[in-house]
Amino acid sequence: MAGGVNRKISAASARAHTRKSRQSSSFRLPSGMFKKILVVLLMGFLAWAYQAIQSPPPKICGSPDGPPVTVSRIKLSDGRHLAYKEHGIPKDRAKYKIVYVHGFDSCRHDAVVATSLSPEIVEELGIYIVSFDRPGYGESDPNPKRTVKSIPLDIEELADQLGLGSKFYVIGFSMGGQVIWSCLKYIPHRLAGATLIAPVVNYWWPSFPANLSKEAYYQQFRQDQWTLRVAHYTPWLTYWWNTQKWFPASSVAEHSTDILSHQDKELMLTKLSKRKEYMAQVRQQGEFESIHRDLMIGFGTWEFDPMDLKNPFPNNEGSVHLWHGDEDAMVPVSLQRYIAQQLPWIQYHEVPGAGHLFPYAEGRTDAIIKALLTGEK
């Protein structure tokens, strides 16, 4: 009678046998598959990132999918159109002819020197003012090749086509004030005089002492610091930064009232309420070629330093004025004071208790115009 073999298997051996069975039956990726998956994921991420930083094409006025053309426009030498609006007395009777340059996120309707100027002064002095939509704003065609130099050349063409004569005045407010530096650089021979009202500064202009520009830069909200960093160092990310939802972007573009002074908030309620009637027109062709392009040009690397400019009126045949409020929370007054010290030929006017929107205050535009045209203090 055959006897059975009695085997004793330890618990440890059983567990080891089970682990070995599980390991041998577990799923394994074929050789090289893991690397291929990583490559595919990386390519997918790069494709998403590329799409995220690409701005949509502008909806050009007059094109099949764009807004209609509703105002007078000139055709520039490069084929673009520039929309404009005339104010004051007819130019053929005018003694003084002024080109007004609007600010950030604005348009030709935001011509504060025209809308706030008293009719008596307009008639008494004989003033004609033309405001225009800067490229990409309102009904002016975008300019993807826009530079610090291009807008002064647009202004020169506008003046020539409207017959303003060999010389004319220029006035700019905020970001438009920054454009006046470019006019002083590139078309000084066409200017009879110039006024910069609360002009935006570029913190990276080389002549600013590092400690001064740094101190002024950090007076901004952190979200605005980052917005300008992106515009300056990585302009190709400007569209993405200002449209992403993870971090707050430009407080100015978002129309935050937190950046306004006490006086500015009052003026917003009393003097700027009519902006609601045309605000939709400002960015109607798209944000990238309007406000985003403004950021990239205004805070990019400039082709010149305004503090290297020479007096365009060495024989006092004209004058340059810079006006700024000492409580401007958007553009630090400390930098304007430094510019005025470096350029003693500029007539600097500092307005006590005033914020960024001070030209809208009662009587302020009259004083600005009189100082430029008649030399009245």
Side-chain angles (χ1 to χ4, degrees):
M1 181 176 176
V5 180
N6 186 17
R7 295 181 177 178
K8 293 183 179 179
I9 302 175
S10 69
S13 298
R15 287 195 299 272
H17 178 75
T18 302
R19 282 198 301 269
K20 186 175 181 180
S21 299
R22 287 177 179 173
Q23 288 174 358
S24 61
S25 62
S26 63
F27 174 77
R28 290 185 179 181
L29 290 173
S31 178
M33 182 62 74
F34 184 68
K35 291 182 179 179
K36 291 179 181 178
I37 290 175
L38 284 179
V39 169
V40 170
L41 290 175
L42 178 60
M43 291 177 65
F45 172 77
L46 292 175
W48 169 84
Y50 177 78
Q51 290 295 325
I53 65 175
Q54 297 302 304
S55 62
K59 296 180 178 180
I60 299 175
C61 286
S63 65
D65 62 341
V69 176
T70 64
V71 297
S72 299
R73 306 199 303 177
I74 64 165
K75 189 173 183 178
L76 299 169
S77 58
D78 63 0
R80 289 182 294 114
H81 294 88
L82 208 65
Y84 66 92
K85 182 178 181 179
E86 296 175 294
H87 317 259
I89 68 172
K91 57 177 175 287
D92 57 350
R93 291 199 296 111
K95 180 180 179 181
Y96 299 105
K97 298 167 184 176
I98 301 171
V99 178
Y100 178 81
V101 189
H102 69 75
F104 181 82
D105 203 12
S106 304
C107 69
R108 66 191 180 279
H109 297 302
D110 293 301
V112 60
V113 296
T115 58
S116 301
L117 189 61
S118 65
E120 294 78 16
I121 290 181
V122 172
E123 288 292 336
E124 177 188 342
L125 296 181
I127 299 173
Y128 163 88
I129 301 172
V130 59
S131 57
F132 67 99
D133 291 331
R134 290 195 284 111
Y137 282 107
E139 296 188 29
S140 286
D141 293 343
N143 183 6
K145 297 180 180 179
R146 194 169 118 192
T147 65
V148 172
K149 184 178 181 179
S150 62
I151 293 185
L153 300 183
D154 289 350
I155 291 174
E156 187 173 29
E157 280 201 63
L158 176 67
D160 288 342
Q161 291 199 37
L162 294 182
L164 302 191
S166 60
K167 288 184 180 288
F168 49 87
Y169 294 85
V170 289
I171 299 177
F173 172 48
S174 194
M175 188 69 84
Q178 193 185 63
V179 172
I180 304 304
W181 292 122
S182 300
C183 292
L184 293 169
K185 170 67 175 178
Y186 295 113
I187 57 169
H189 57 290
R190 300 300 307 273
L191 304 182
T195 293
L196 303 88
I197 306 173
V200 169
V201 297
N202 184 323
Y203 297 92
W204 291 273
W205 284 338
S207 292
F208 280 138
N211 61 329
L212 182 66
S213 59
K214 183 177 181 180
E215 179 184 0
Y217 180 81
Y218 284 108
Q219 289 177 17
Q220 303 177 101
F221 291 145
R222 184 164 295 182
Q223 66 194 81
D224 295 318
Q225 295 173 26
W226 276 105
T227 296
L228 300 193
R229 280 194 192 102
V230 170
H232 182 77
Y233 293 110
T234 56
W236 47 276
L237 285 176
T238 299
Y239 172 76
W240 172 80
W241 176 259
N242 286 279
T243 55
Q244 51 80 30
K245 305 301 181 185
W246 299 335
F247 308 101
S250 169
S251 61
V252 182
E254 294 299 319
H255 303 154
S256 171
T257 58
D258 294 338
I259 57 175
L260 300 178
S261 70
H262 176 70
Q263 185 197 59
D264 286 343
K265 291 177 181 178
E266 291 181 347
L267 291 171
M268 282 288 290
L269 294 174
T270 59
K271 300 292 185 179
L272 283 89
S273 57
K274 289 185 178 180
R275 291 199 78 223
K276 297 176 182 178
E277 298 173 6
Y278 56 83
M279 271 303 294
Q281 299 178 31
V282 174
R283 307 183 191 180
Q284 65 180 350
Q285 298 185 87
E287 295 186 357
F288 183 73
E289 288 296 345
S290 53
I291 61 173
H292 299 165
R293 184 74 66 182
D294 255 5
L295 293 171
M296 292 188 291
I297 300 298
F299 298 100
T301 300
W302 276 39
E303 301 151 10
F304 71 96
D305 186 334
M307 282 162 279
D308 290 335
L309 290 173
K310 305 300 180 185
N311 185 358
F313 307 112
N315 300 317
N316 295 320
E317 66 273 29
S319 58
V320 180
H321 300 256
L322 196 162
W323 292 75
H324 207 81
D326 67 354
E327 293 185 8
D328 192 327
M330 297 172 65
V331 183
V333 68
S334 58
L335 297 182
Q336 308 292 18
R337 291 170 179 166
Y338 184 81
I339 291 172
Q341 291 171 3
Q342 298 304 111
L343 302 175
W345 45 268
I346 283 186
Q347 298 185 37
Y348 180 60
H349 311 261
E350 189 168 302
V351 186
H356 192 69
L357 303 177
F358 74 90
Y360 288 93
E362 196 70 35
R364 188 60 63 189
T365 297
D366 290 1
I368 292 172
I369 289 294
K370 285 182 178 180
L372 174 64
L373 303 184
T374 70
E376 184 175 314
K377 301 293 185 180

PDB file of all heavy atoms in Angstrom, residues 86-107:
ATOM      1  N   GLU A  86     -13.421 115.892 -35.220  1.00  0.00           N
ATOM      2  CA  GLU A  86     -13.031 117.301 -35.160  1.00  0.00           C
ATOM      3  C   GLU A  86     -13.853 118.053 -34.112  1.00  0.00           C
ATOM      4  O   GLU A  86     -15.039 117.802 -33.935  1.00  0.00           O
ATOM      5  CB  GLU A  86     -13.193 117.950 -36.534  1.00  0.00           C
ATOM      6  CG  GLU A  86     -12.266 117.328 -37.579  1.00  0.00           C
ATOM      7  CD  GLU A  86     -12.488 117.856 -38.979  1.00  0.00           C
ATOM      8  OE1 GLU A  86     -13.576 117.592 -39.531  1.00  0.00           O
ATOM      9  OE2 GLU A  86     -11.583 118.527 -39.508  1.00  0.00           O
ATOM     10  N   HIS A  87     -13.185 119.001 -33.444  1.00  0.00           N
ATOM     11  CA  HIS A  87     -13.803 119.789 -32.376  1.00  0.00           C
ATOM     12  C   HIS A  87     -13.423 121.260 -32.559  1.00  0.00           C
ATOM     13  O   HIS A  87     -12.455 121.590 -33.245  1.00  0.00           O
ATOM     14  CB  HIS A  87     -13.323 119.338 -30.991  1.00  0.00           C
ATOM     15  CG  HIS A  87     -13.245 117.854 -30.794  1.00  0.00           C
ATOM     16  ND1 HIS A  87     -14.207 117.134 -30.123  1.00  0.00           N
ATOM     17  CD2 HIS A  87     -12.302 116.957 -31.178  1.00  0.00           C
ATOM     18  CE1 HIS A  87     -13.857 115.856 -30.088  1.00  0.00           C
ATOM     19  NE2 HIS A  87     -12.707 115.718 -30.720  1.00  0.00           N
ATOM     20  N   GLY A  88     -14.167 122.134 -31.896  1.00  0.00           N
ATOM     21  CA  GLY A  88     -13.825 123.551 -31.928  1.00  0.00           C
ATOM     22  C   GLY A  88     -14.337 124.251 -33.169  1.00  0.00           C
ATOM     23  O   GLY A  88     -15.297 123.811 -33.798  1.00  0.00           O
ATOM     24  N   ILE A  89     -13.670 125.328 -33.542  1.00  0.00           N
ATOM     25  CA  ILE A  89     -14.095 126.084 -34.714  1.00  0.00           C
ATOM     26  C   ILE A  89     -13.539 125.422 -35.976  1.00  0.00           C
ATOM     27  O   ILE A  89     -12.598 124.632 -35.904  1.00  0.00           O
ATOM     28  CB  ILE A  89     -13.639 127.558 -34.630  1.00  0.00           C
ATOM     29  CG1 ILE A  89     -12.114 127.664 -34.748  1.00  0.00           C
ATOM     30  CG2 ILE A  89     -14.111 128.205 -33.337  1.00  0.00           C
ATOM     31  CD1 ILE A  89     -11.631 129.094 -34.875  1.00  0.00           C
ATOM     32  N   PRO A  90     -14.107 125.713 -37.146  1.00  0.00           N
ATOM     33  CA  PRO A  90     -13.591 125.126 -38.390  1.00  0.00           C
ATOM     34  C   PRO A  90     -12.104 125.442 -38.572  1.00  0.00           C
ATOM     35  O   PRO A  90     -11.650 126.542 -38.256  1.00  0.00           O
ATOM     36  CB  PRO A  90     -14.438 125.794 -39.475  1.00  0.00           C
ATOM     37  CG  PRO A  90     -15.706 126.166 -38.786  1.00  0.00           C
ATOM     38  CD  PRO A  90     -15.300 126.544 -37.382  1.00  0.00           C
ATOM     39  N   LYS A  91     -11.365 124.477 -39.067  1.00  0.00           N
ATOM     40  CA  LYS A  91      -9.909 124.642 -39.142  1.00  0.00           C
ATOM     41  C   LYS A  91      -9.473 125.758 -40.074  1.00  0.00           C
ATOM     42  O   LYS A  91      -8.389 126.331 -39.896  1.00  0.00           O
ATOM     43  CB  LYS A  91      -9.236 123.329 -39.533  1.00  0.00           C
ATOM     44  CG  LYS A  91      -9.668 122.704 -40.828  1.00  0.00           C
ATOM     45  CD  LYS A  91      -8.841 121.443 -41.099  1.00  0.00           C
ATOM     46  CE  LYS A  91      -9.319 120.703 -42.337  1.00  0.00           C
ATOM     47  NZ  LYS A  91     -10.605 120.008 -42.100  1.00  0.00           N
ATOM     48  N   ASP A  92     -10.309 126.108 -41.057  1.00  0.00           N
ATOM     49  CA  ASP A  92      -9.905 127.184 -41.968  1.00  0.00           C
ATOM     50  C   ASP A  92     -10.008 128.559 -41.299  1.00  0.00           C
ATOM     51  O   ASP A  92      -9.471 129.547 -41.820  1.00  0.00           O
ATOM     52  CB  ASP A  92     -10.745 127.146 -43.250  1.00  0.00           C
ATOM     53  CG  ASP A  92     -12.246 127.248 -42.982  1.00  0.00           C
ATOM     54  OD1 ASP A  92     -12.641 127.163 -41.803  1.00  0.00           O
ATOM     55  OD2 ASP A  92     -13.003 127.415 -43.949  1.00  0.00           O
ATOM     56  N   ARG A  93     -10.675 128.626 -40.138  1.00  0.00           N
ATOM     57  CA  ARG A  93     -10.748 129.886 -39.388  1.00  0.00           C
ATOM     58  C   ARG A  93      -9.869 129.857 -38.140  1.00  0.00           C
ATOM     59  O   ARG A  93      -9.710 130.877 -37.458  1.00  0.00           O
ATOM     60  CB  ARG A  93     -12.193 130.174 -38.955  1.00  0.00           C
ATOM     61  CG  ARG A  93     -13.139 130.507 -40.078  1.00  0.00           C
ATOM     62  CD  ARG A  93     -14.388 131.221 -39.558  1.00  0.00           C
ATOM     63  NE  ARG A  93     -15.215 130.421 -38.655  1.00  0.00           N
ATOM     64  CZ  ARG A  93     -15.351 130.675 -37.350  1.00  0.00           C
ATOM     65  NH1 ARG A  93     -14.688 131.666 -36.793  1.00  0.00           N
ATOM     66  NH2 ARG A  93     -16.142 129.919 -36.609  1.00  0.00           N
ATOM     67  N   ALA A  94      -9.310 128.703 -37.848  1.00  0.00           N
ATOM     68  CA  ALA A  94      -8.594 128.533 -36.585  1.00  0.00           C
ATOM     69  C   ALA A  94      -7.210 129.173 -36.601  1.00  0.00           C
ATOM     70  O   ALA A  94      -6.482 129.116 -37.590  1.00  0.00           O
ATOM     71  CB  ALA A  94      -8.473 127.045 -36.265  1.00  0.00           C
ATOM     72  N   LYS A  95      -6.868 129.779 -35.469  1.00  0.00           N
ATOM     73  CA  LYS A  95      -5.514 130.310 -35.264  1.00  0.00           C
ATOM     74  C   LYS A  95      -4.601 129.235 -34.694  1.00  0.00           C
ATOM     75  O   LYS A  95      -3.423 129.164 -35.023  1.00  0.00           O
ATOM     76  CB  LYS A  95      -5.574 131.508 -34.323  1.00  0.00           C
ATOM     77  CG  LYS A  95      -4.220 132.137 -34.045  1.00  0.00           C
ATOM     78  CD  LYS A  95      -4.342 133.329 -33.097  1.00  0.00           C
ATOM     79  CE  LYS A  95      -2.967 133.942 -32.807  1.00  0.00           C
ATOM     80  NZ  LYS A  95      -3.077 135.088 -31.855  1.00  0.00           N
ATOM     81  N   TYR A  96      -5.172 128.398 -33.836  1.00  0.00           N
ATOM     82  CA  TYR A  96      -4.410 127.321 -33.203  1.00  0.00           C
ATOM     83  C   TYR A  96      -5.017 125.973 -33.586  1.00  0.00           C
ATOM     84  O   TYR A  96      -6.222 125.759 -33.424  1.00  0.00           O
ATOM     85  CB  TYR A  96      -4.435 127.464 -31.679  1.00  0.00           C
ATOM     86  CG  TYR A  96      -3.827 128.754 -31.177  1.00  0.00           C
ATOM     87  CD1 TYR A  96      -4.638 129.789 -30.723  1.00  0.00           C
ATOM     88  CD2 TYR A  96      -2.446 128.931 -31.157  1.00  0.00           C
ATOM     89  CE1 TYR A  96      -4.089 130.973 -30.244  1.00  0.00           C
ATOM     90  CE2 TYR A  96      -1.881 130.117 -30.685  1.00  0.00           C
ATOM     91  CZ  TYR A  96      -2.712 131.129 -30.236  1.00  0.00           C
ATOM     92  OH  TYR A  96      -2.166 132.293 -29.775  1.00  0.00           O
ATOM     93  N   LYS A  97      -4.171 125.062 -34.080  1.00  0.00           N
ATOM     94  CA  LYS A  97      -4.639 123.734 -34.493  1.00  0.00           C
ATOM     95  C   LYS A  97      -3.918 122.683 -33.654  1.00  0.00           C
ATOM     96  O   LYS A  97      -2.678 122.643 -33.613  1.00  0.00           O
ATOM     97  CB  LYS A  97      -4.371 123.526 -35.984  1.00  0.00           C
ATOM     98  CG  LYS A  97      -5.136 124.540 -36.837  1.00  0.00           C
ATOM     99  CD  LYS A  97      -4.657 124.576 -38.271  1.00  0.00           C
ATOM    100  CE  LYS A  97      -5.386 125.679 -39.040  1.00  0.00           C
ATOM    101  NZ  LYS A  97      -4.885 125.825 -40.421  1.00  0.00           N
ATOM    102  N   ILE A  98      -4.714 121.855 -33.005  1.00  0.00           N
ATOM    103  CA  ILE A  98      -4.187 120.905 -32.017  1.00  0.00           C
ATOM    104  C   ILE A  98      -4.569 119.482 -32.388  1.00  0.00           C
ATOM    105  O   ILE A  98      -5.723 119.209 -32.745  1.00  0.00           O
ATOM    106  CB  ILE A  98      -4.747 121.225 -30.612  1.00  0.00           C
ATOM    107  CG1 ILE A  98      -4.383 122.647 -30.191  1.00  0.00           C
ATOM    108  CG2 ILE A  98      -4.244 120.209 -29.587  1.00  0.00           C
ATOM    109  CD1 ILE A  98      -5.095 123.108 -28.916  1.00  0.00           C
ATOM    110  N   VAL A  99      -3.604 118.567 -32.291  1.00  0.00           N
ATOM    111  CA  VAL A  99      -3.873 117.133 -32.428  1.00  0.00           C
ATOM    112  C   VAL A  99      -3.845 116.539 -31.023  1.00  0.00           C
ATOM    113  O   VAL A  99      -2.845 116.671 -30.311  1.00  0.00           O
ATOM    114  CB  VAL A  99      -2.833 116.434 -33.323  1.00  0.00           C
ATOM    115  CG1 VAL A  99      -3.131 114.928 -33.396  1.00  0.00           C
ATOM    116  CG2 VAL A  99      -2.831 117.037 -34.725  1.00  0.00           C
ATOM    117  N   TYR A 100      -4.942 115.909 -30.636  1.00  0.00           N
ATOM    118  CA  TYR A 100      -5.048 115.322 -29.303  1.00  0.00           C
ATOM    119  C   TYR A 100      -4.871 113.805 -29.368  1.00  0.00           C
ATOM    120  O   TYR A 100      -5.462 113.134 -30.226  1.00  0.00           O
ATOM    121  CB  TYR A 100      -6.412 115.647 -28.684  1.00  0.00           C
ATOM    122  CG  TYR A 100      -6.596 115.007 -27.320  1.00  0.00           C
ATOM    123  CD1 TYR A 100      -6.048 115.601 -26.183  1.00  0.00           C
ATOM    124  CD2 TYR A 100      -7.292 113.816 -27.175  1.00  0.00           C
ATOM    125  CE1 TYR A 100      -6.198 115.013 -24.937  1.00  0.00           C
ATOM    126  CE2 TYR A 100      -7.445 113.219 -25.931  1.00  0.00           C
ATOM    127  CZ  TYR A 100      -6.899 113.824 -24.819  1.00  0.00           C
ATOM    128  OH  TYR A 100      -7.027 113.237 -23.588  1.00  0.00           O
ATOM    129  N   VAL A 101      -4.085 113.256 -28.435  1.00  0.00           N
ATOM    130  CA  VAL A 101      -3.790 111.817 -28.396  1.00  0.00           C
ATOM    131  C   VAL A 101      -4.394 111.216 -27.126  1.00  0.00           C
ATOM    132  O   VAL A 101      -4.020 111.602 -26.009  1.00  0.00           O
ATOM    133  CB  VAL A 101      -2.271 111.551 -28.429  1.00  0.00           C
ATOM    134  CG1 VAL A 101      -1.994 110.061 -28.615  1.00  0.00           C
ATOM    135  CG2 VAL A 101      -1.592 112.365 -29.535  1.00  0.00           C
ATOM    136  N   HIS A 102      -5.328 110.295 -27.298  1.00  0.00           N
ATOM    137  CA  HIS A 102      -6.015 109.696 -26.145  1.00  0.00           C
ATOM    138  C   HIS A 102      -5.145 108.676 -25.419  1.00  0.00           C
ATOM    139  O   HIS A 102      -4.108 108.229 -25.910  1.00  0.00           O
ATOM    140  CB  HIS A 102      -7.342 109.069 -26.573  1.00  0.00           C
ATOM    141  CG  HIS A 102      -7.208 107.839 -27.433  1.00  0.00           C
ATOM    142  ND1 HIS A 102      -6.839 106.613 -26.923  1.00  0.00           N
ATOM    143  CD2 HIS A 102      -7.410 107.642 -28.765  1.00  0.00           C
ATOM    144  CE1 HIS A 102      -6.809 105.720 -27.897  1.00  0.00           C
ATOM    145  NE2 HIS A 102      -7.147 106.312 -29.026  1.00  0.00           N
ATOM    146  N   GLY A 103      -5.612 108.274 -24.252  1.00  0.00           N
ATOM    147  CA  GLY A 103      -4.853 107.368 -23.396  1.00  0.00           C
ATOM    148  C   GLY A 103      -5.196 105.906 -23.579  1.00  0.00           C
ATOM    149  O   GLY A 103      -5.826 105.494 -24.556  1.00  0.00           O
ATOM    150  N   PHE A 104      -4.796 105.104 -22.597  1.00  0.00           N
ATOM    151  CA  PHE A 104      -5.007 103.659 -22.573  1.00  0.00           C
ATOM    152  C   PHE A 104      -6.491 103.344 -22.472  1.00  0.00           C
ATOM    153  O   PHE A 104      -7.231 103.974 -21.713  1.00  0.00           O
ATOM    154  CB  PHE A 104      -4.257 103.083 -21.365  1.00  0.00           C
ATOM    155  CG  PHE A 104      -4.354 101.593 -21.206  1.00  0.00           C
ATOM    156  CD1 PHE A 104      -3.534 100.747 -21.926  1.00  0.00           C
ATOM    157  CD2 PHE A 104      -5.263 101.043 -20.307  1.00  0.00           C
ATOM    158  CE1 PHE A 104      -3.609  99.368 -21.759  1.00  0.00           C
ATOM    159  CE2 PHE A 104      -5.349  99.665 -20.131  1.00  0.00           C
ATOM    160  CZ  PHE A 104      -4.518  98.828 -20.874  1.00  0.00           C
ATOM    161  N   ASP A 105      -6.934 102.359 -23.256  1.00  0.00           N
ATOM    162  CA  ASP A 105      -8.320 101.886 -23.195  1.00  0.00           C
ATOM    163  C   ASP A 105      -9.314 103.031 -23.424  1.00  0.00           C
ATOM    164  O   ASP A 105     -10.327 103.143 -22.731  1.00  0.00           O
ATOM    165  CB  ASP A 105      -8.579 101.214 -21.846  1.00  0.00           C
ATOM    166  CG  ASP A 105      -9.749 100.231 -21.902  1.00  0.00           C
ATOM    167  OD1 ASP A 105     -10.199  99.910 -23.017  1.00  0.00           O
ATOM    168  OD2 ASP A 105     -10.205  99.798 -20.824  1.00  0.00           O
ATOM    169  N   SER A 106      -9.011 103.874 -24.406  1.00  0.00           N
ATOM    170  CA  SER A 106      -9.844 105.030 -24.719  1.00  0.00           C
ATOM    171  C   SER A 106      -9.995 105.144 -26.230  1.00  0.00           C
ATOM    172  O   SER A 106      -9.544 104.277 -26.977  1.00  0.00           O
ATOM    173  CB  SER A 106      -9.221 106.315 -24.142  1.00  0.00           C
ATOM    174  OG  SER A 106      -9.008 106.197 -22.749  1.00  0.00           O
ATOM    175  N   CYS A 107     -10.595 106.249 -26.684  1.00  0.00           N
ATOM    176  CA  CYS A 107     -10.771 106.445 -28.117  1.00  0.00           C
ATOM    177  C   CYS A 107     -10.904 107.934 -28.426  1.00  0.00           C
ATOM    178  O   CYS A 107     -10.709 108.778 -27.540  1.00  0.00           O
ATOM    179  CB  CYS A 107     -11.974 105.662 -28.631  1.00  0.00           C
ATOM    180  SG  CYS A 107     -13.567 106.298 -28.038  1.00  0.00           S
TER     181      CYS A 107
END
